[in-house]
Amino acid sequence: KDVLQSTTLADIVQLGPYMSVGATDRPTNTLDQLHSQAYLVSDVFREMVVRLGALHNGKFRLKEQMDSEGVQFAAWDGGEDSMHLYKLGGIKSISSCVTKLEFNLGRDPSRLLDMCRESLYFDTVSDLRACLDAIVHDPSLEVAGVKSTMSLSGSDLLERGHTAGFAGMRFVRVNLRLAGSEEAKELCVHTHVCELLLIL
């Protein structure tokens, strides 16, 4: 336990490869446990997002170049050799997590649902909708929550008090678990909630 610097992580590790599914169904109660889960699930999650992007014309944001005009997007095959070209979501920094926990989530790590996150950008509503349908019907995924700012003007959202979620950007936020992924189950992170933004 002294080496791991976390009683929670030590307890999980000591369960070994025979950990029961029920043991991972408990809410995450420490930030270090949540961060460890995000680290383990991140590659599996990113591969799933790359697959969705390829199937439904989703693009990733490119890192800004000195000679480029504004924000640019491009398809990505998930290759390690080209990863440096993209501004990927990845794992939320510890400092950002602490700030969010302190000011928005009542210091409850189980409410932090965007530790592992990614974004896909779409040119058309039909492609975005097809991607959302694919997520809902994918047996390896379990949708934990959906929030949409998609509307004709956004004024209806403002009238209902959704000022924080709408800043002129149209997106669908999907919180999901890789509940049916064998790889995620082997790593005991199939209950970790990830965030995927589908942006128009």
Side-chain angles (χ1 to χ4, degrees), residues 106-136:
R107 297 185 178 184
D108 181 359
S110 69
R111 297 174 59 199
L112 189 61
L113 306 179
D114 62 345
M115 175 71 89
C116 184
R117 68 272 171 86
E118 198 52 76
S119 300
L120 278 176
Y121 298 82
F122 298 88
D123 293 326
T124 67
V125 174
S126 58
D127 283 339
L128 188 152
R129 181 173 178 172
C131 184
L132 184 58
D133 286 342
I135 291 169
V136 171

Side-chain angles (χ1 to χ4, degrees), residues 28 34 37-38 41 45 110-117 142-145 174-178 189-196:
T28 303
L34 190 69
Q37 290 176 356
V41 80
F45 177 63
S110 69
R111 297 174 59 199
L112 189 61
L113 306 179
D114 62 345
M115 175 71 89
C116 184
R117 68 272 171 86
E142 176 185 296
V143 175
V174 184
N175 292 113
L176 53 85
R177 300 179 184 92
L178 282 76
V189 291
H190 57 288
T191 61
H192 184 87
V193 178
C194 303
E195 178 181 278
L196 176 57

Side-chain angles (χ1 to χ4, degrees), residues 5 8-9 38 58 71 99 106 108 126 130 133 140 155 192 198:
Q5 298 295 311
T8 304
L9 186 57
V71 179
T99 301
D108 181 359
S126 58
D133 286 342
S140 71
S155 60
H192 184 87
L198 308 178

Side-chain angles (χ1 to χ4, degrees), residues 11-12 20 25 51 74 76 89-90 102 117 122 124-125 151-153 157 178 189 194:
D11 290 343
I12 289 174
S20 68
D25 290 340
R51 179 173 46 82
W76 181 44
E102 184 71 26
R117 68 272 171 86
F122 298 88
T124 67
V125 174
S151 69
L152 293 177
S153 66
L157 292 168
L178 282 76
V189 291
C194 303

